[in-house]
Amino acid sequence: MKVIDFLRRLVGLRSSKEVEAASSASLEEKYGSTWYMLLHSKEGFIGILLISVFLGWSILEGMLQLAGLLLGRPSIGWLLLPHDPLAPPNPAASLLPPSSRYPLGTNFNGQDILSRLLYAAPLDALAAIVVVSSALTIGALLGMTAGYFGGWIDEVLMRLTDAFLAFPAIILAIAISMMLGNGFNSLLISLSAVWWPTYARLFRGETLTIKYRGFVEISKLSGISDLRILFKHIFMNALDPALAFLALDFGGVILTYSSLAFLGIGIQPPYPEWGSMASNSLNFFPGAWWYTFFPSLAILMVVIGFVLVGDSLQEQLLGTMV
Amino acid sequence: MLQTNLITFLIRRSLNAAITIFLLLFVTFTLIHVILPTPEAMAKIYVGDAHYTPSELQSIIVLYGLNKPLYVQFVSYVESIFRGTIMDPIYGAPVMSLVEKFLPITFELVVVVISVEVTIGVLLGGLAALNRGKALDWGIKALYLMAWAAPIFLWATLMQFFFAYDLKILPAMNVANPILVPPKPITGYPLIDAAIEGDWVYFRSVLKHMILPVVTLAMLGFGGTTRLTRSSTLRVMDKDYVKLAYMKGMSNGQVFKGTVLRNSVIPIITMTALHFGYAIGGAVIAEEIFLYKGMGFFMNQAIMNLDLPVVMTTTLLIGISIAIANLVADILYAVVDPRVRVR
């Protein structure tokens, strides 16, 4: 419980008594209690822990890599890693099992798998953040416009959303990134281009329920502009269910991203990526089981973190039934 | 009155589906032209070879009509999709003739996946709801969260290793035993063709080869159905008519089958239509690992060959088939629940 209290103070929460004392559910208090509930439920706590480790490491390692890039000395990027993740092929160390020197073993090129896993984390985190936030932005804009103005605008935007929803995200992303040329940036663009329809649906539905509520009607009568109402009232209130979905969705992006890397789309070698590490390892499976196992485990742990948080958020924000 | 309601509902939904399909064509066409804005850039995709002369490029622009106005190109694009005349530069055959061969194999796989997924999902979801808060409920939750969070290639590789290479009880790859002569393609669906021609050896072989890919893909999706069944079952369980059923002395199973399931079936239908898309997306990866030579495998080959016409056409066709699956779900919906027809 001490750890939880510490974590709660870390994110600037009030004590549980204060939360309980607050009877009215203003937005701030609601989030306060959401955080409280999240950290007190077992699954939410494990999830938060996994995500914090992943994001914390990604930020640290990402800064180092950025510094290395800016100073023209890439070796800064592996300052904290046990070995050089991009070391030139070393046949003598090829496919060594886990040992004290190589905690998770080595790959075919004799590179340390632990170092490569840690080195690849920041770009996975970056991909998830960029894709989810751009999907949220596009989806919120289109969905709220459709829901708020209704009529033919709604009809056109929703048919377009349906059209995009009809493509499995992974397949459309493959097609787009193929046309853009293979690489990290084009993968981000193509994933963002296919990821928004679910958010558009979600925000439209929320907007439809919110727009007839009293405070929106009153704002309209007092002559507040549509844009302001959309942002201040509708967006802020629609954010709740979106947030619960968002956490689950982070996991979805990471899974899709690594599945695409598995097919050879996205970051190109020699740069490590969890999905492509798993894919390269298949030729040596099951003899070199560590080569497949640890990259897959890394993906599994991170996605479980997001799924746990998303799951308990949905239970709290939308009621236990969901 | 009811009848006319149903008919207007069906007409409206079909119209919606038609508009969606038109937009699908429009979206793919726009995407191609936004990313490849000039005729030259388009032509380079069709050349299929890095070494080309400017005159070759020009001849391809003329051949495919790439310098015509965009609306003319759009009309000819739609026409070529529906008449199946888009040529593939790498195979030297119309894309449609290739797709016709591979698409049924994936559809068959996906239909089996969906039925397995829904069966498992409904059973586990019902069990979890009836044992709410007990160990079984938590166990089922842990199971589907794990299945959800694991990358599909992890399940695929692990199962291939244990059941095919280690225990040697299931085949590791292919649609059927390559020694067997496949039946003449009548419908293109291996199981149906084998059944029509009475080739039960081949039928069994196809079934056996299907097990691993089906289990892998079902892992990906049964969690959603489980969760949904659990939550909608719990919602229905509070209703008076369920309490009445219990008071009449019916058992858990009887109540679940007779009262609860019927009322929670509607969201499950929507979910299933959605899963159709996920399963096809997952099949792209599963087919690569199990060398299951369907649409996904074919698409992977096309990606490796940078064969854009095949990738775009398959993407479009998959989109169209999912739009149709959604329409079917809507119609089923209206048949199951008359209330839907009104809105």
Side-chain angles (χ1 to χ4, degrees):
Chain A
M1 285 302 113
K2 275 217 169 116
V3 186
I4 296 174
D5 276 344
F6 171 74
L7 276 176
R8 294 194 63 245
R9 242 174 286 138
L10 207 65
V11 291
L13 297 177
R14 290 161 303 165
S15 77
S16 50
K17 269 180 201 145
E18 278 174 321
V19 174
E20 276 157 26
S23 54
S24 67
S26 79
L27 221 55
E28 195 192 341
E29 275 148 5
K30 205 159 76 190
Y31 284 112
S33 66
T34 303
W35 274 103
Y36 174 80
M37 298 275 283
L38 200 58
L39 288 173
H40 273 254
S41 75
K42 230 178 266 159
E43 40 167 327
F45 183 68
I46 298 173
I48 293 265
L49 207 66
L50 286 172
I51 295 176
S52 331
V53 169
F54 170 63
L55 287 183
W57 170 258
S58 297
I59 291 170
L60 184 65
E61 174 65 24
M63 303 265 254
L64 285 178
Q65 284 180 23
L66 195 66
L69 202 70
L70 292 177
L71 299 176
R73 283 172 57 194
S75 62
I76 297 177
W78 49 87
L79 216 55
L80 299 175
L81 306 178
H83 296 272
D84 174 1
L86 305 174
N90 174 13
S94 179
L95 297 176
L96 292 178
S99 62
S100 56
R101 186 165 153 72
Y102 301 107
L104 305 183
T106 62
N107 66 8
F108 182 68
N109 288 332
Q111 295 156 324
D112 180 37
I113 288 179
L114 177 65
S115 306
R116 284 175 72 78
L117 282 181
L118 292 174
Y119 193 71
L123 281 192
D124 271 47
L126 185 68
I129 292 169
V130 168
V131 172
V132 170
S133 48
S134 53
L136 180 74
T137 315
I138 304 172
L141 282 178
L142 294 184
M144 289 194 311
T145 313
Y148 189 72
F149 294 107
W152 65 269
I153 298 180
D154 184 24
E155 206 56 42
V156 169
L157 288 178
M158 279 304 111
R159 289 289 82 75
L160 193 69
T161 309
D162 280 351
F164 268 90
L165 265 181
F167 295 114
I170 195 166
I171 290 177
L172 190 56
I174 289 173
I176 297 178
S177 73
M178 232 183 99
M179 285 190 284
L180 288 173
N182 212 343
F184 183 66
N185 294 338
S186 67
L187 181 60
L188 284 196
I189 295 174
S190 52
L191 275 179
S192 312
V194 302
W195 216 260
W196 58 268
T198 335
Y199 287 93
R201 276 269 180 96
L202 206 146
F203 271 94
R204 175 180 175 268
E206 288 302 313
T207 308
L208 284 180
T209 60
I210 297 166
K211 86 171 176 185
Y212 297 113
R213 293 229 202 114
F215 59 88
V216 176
E217 304 265 329
I218 289 172
S219 311
K220 263 193 213 165
L221 287 178
S222 29
I224 294 173
S225 72
D226 283 339
L227 207 65
R228 206 177 148 82
I229 294 176
L230 267 179
F231 188 76
K232 262 203 94 169
H233 295 301
I234 295 187
F235 180 73
M236 291 321 256
N237 280 294
L239 209 54
D240 251 20
L243 277 180
F245 181 73
L246 200 96
L248 275 178
D249 208 36
F250 264 106
V253 174
I254 289 180
L255 277 183
T256 310
Y257 174 77
S258 58
S259 298
L260 287 169
F262 183 85
L263 296 177
I265 292 168
I267 291 179
Q268 296 302 304
Y271 198 92
E273 205 293 323
W274 295 351
S276 55
M277 281 167 84
S279 138
N280 293 337
S281 73
L282 288 184
N283 296 331
F284 312 104
F285 190 81
W289 58 268
W290 57 89
Y291 192 3
T292 313
F293 181 71
F294 291 115
S296 308
L297 188 71
I299 299 171
L300 183 71
M301 292 320 267
V302 169
V303 178
I304 280 192
F306 284 115
V307 167
L308 286 177
V309 170
D311 200 61
S312 45
L313 267 182
Q314 282 199 343
E315 280 188 7
Q316 284 149 32
L317 290 177
L318 312 176
T320 33
M321 293 296 195
V322 178
Chain B
M1 184 63 204
L2 244 160
Q3 218 50 40
T4 48
N5 255 353
L6 184 61
I7 289 166
T8 45
F9 174 83
L10 289 184
I11 291 174
R12 203 172 51 224
R13 283 301 146 105
S14 312
L15 208 65
N16 266 357
I19 295 173
T20 304
I21 289 172
F22 176 78
L23 279 173
L24 280 173
L25 288 161
F26 184 71
V27 164
T28 44
F29 181 80
T30 314
L31 274 176
I32 296 173
H33 283 269
V34 165
I35 294 167
L36 307 166
T38 60
E40 283 77 22
M42 284 283 285
K44 275 179 198 165
I45 296 286
Y46 282 98
V47 177
D49 183 3
H51 308 285
Y52 49 81
T53 57
S55 64
E56 272 176 336
L57 218 55
Q58 280 310 316
S59 68
I60 282 182
I61 290 176
V62 175
L63 180 65
Y64 289 100
L66 299 176
N67 48 1
K68 289 185 185 145
L70 280 181
Y71 64 91
V72 177
Q73 285 196 49
F74 183 62
V75 172
S76 63
Y77 172 73
V78 174
E79 201 185 326
S80 64
I81 289 286
F82 283 110
R83 291 174 56 192
T85 52
I86 290 189
M87 284 297 283
D88 181 67
I90 287 170
Y91 290 87
V95 174
M96 276 311 167
S97 71
L98 298 165
V99 169
E100 257 169 23
K101 216 173 102 194
F102 291 110
L103 203 56
I105 296 175
T106 299
F107 274 163
E108 188 177 273
L109 182 72
V110 166
V111 168
V112 177
V113 166
I114 297 262
S115 29
V116 168
E117 195 174 283
V118 171
T119 316
I120 298 177
V122 168
L123 283 179
L124 287 184
L127 265 179
L130 292 176
N131 294 286
R132 185 183 188 183
K134 293 186 195 151
L136 192 62
D137 189 14
W138 285 103
I140 288 171
K141 189 167 191 175
L143 188 73
Y144 77 70
L145 286 184
M146 282 289 277
W148 225 347
I152 178 168
F153 49 82
L154 178 64
W155 290 128
T157 346
L158 283 180
M159 273 188 299
Q160 200 179 35
F161 170 59
F162 285 116
F163 293 107
Y165 295 139
D166 200 41
L167 299 173
K168 294 195 173 58
I169 47 174
L170 287 170
M173 39 190 70
N174 284 322
V175 179
N177 194 336
I179 301 169
L180 298 173
V181 184
K184 255 185 260 119
I186 299 171
T187 56
Y189 295 85
L191 277 181
I192 299 175
D193 282 349
I196 291 175
E197 284 160 47
D199 188 350
W200 298 109
V201 180
Y202 192 81
F203 188 85
R204 265 199 301 279
S205 175
V206 173
L207 268 189
K208 229 173 154 184
H209 282 76
M210 217 180 233
I211 295 175
L212 286 182
V214 164
V215 174
T216 306
L217 286 171
M219 284 282 221
L220 196 73
F222 83 91
T225 315
T226 308
R227 217 168 107 116
L228 197 69
T229 312
R230 179 180 179 274
S231 63
S232 45
T233 304
L234 286 179
R235 200 174 299 138
V236 177
M237 295 270 273
D238 279 346
K239 297 271 161 66
D240 287 338
Y241 53 80
V242 176
K243 286 178 192 153
L244 180 72
Y246 274 115
M247 276 190 267
K248 281 187 195 158
M250 291 167 103
S251 71
N252 259 346
Q254 278 171 326
V255 174
F256 183 67
K257 240 186 5 214
T259 324
V260 176
L261 191 60
R262 181 162 297 197
N263 279 290
S264 47
V265 80
I266 288 159
I268 294 172
I269 292 179
T270 326
M271 185 73 144
T272 307
L274 253 172
H275 275 184
F276 186 70
Y278 292 154
I280 290 184
V284 176
I285 290 155
E287 287 185 1
E288 175 72 9
I289 294 170
F290 292 110
L291 296 184
Y292 202 84
K293 298 196 177 73
M295 199 74 257
F297 181 80
F298 180 53
M299 206 167 167
N300 281 319
Q301 299 296 105
I303 294 168
M304 263 187 284
N305 298 333
L306 293 179
D307 188 347
L308 190 72
V310 165
V311 173
M312 286 320 288
T313 316
T314 39
T315 306
L316 183 64
L317 285 179
I318 288 170
I320 291 178
S321 43
I322 290 172
I324 292 172
N326 284 334
L327 177 67
V328 173
D330 273 349
I331 293 172
L332 262 175
Y333 228 72
V335 173
V336 173
D337 185 354
R339 283 171 300 179
V340 179
R341 297 172 202 164
V342 182
R343 214 203 80 75

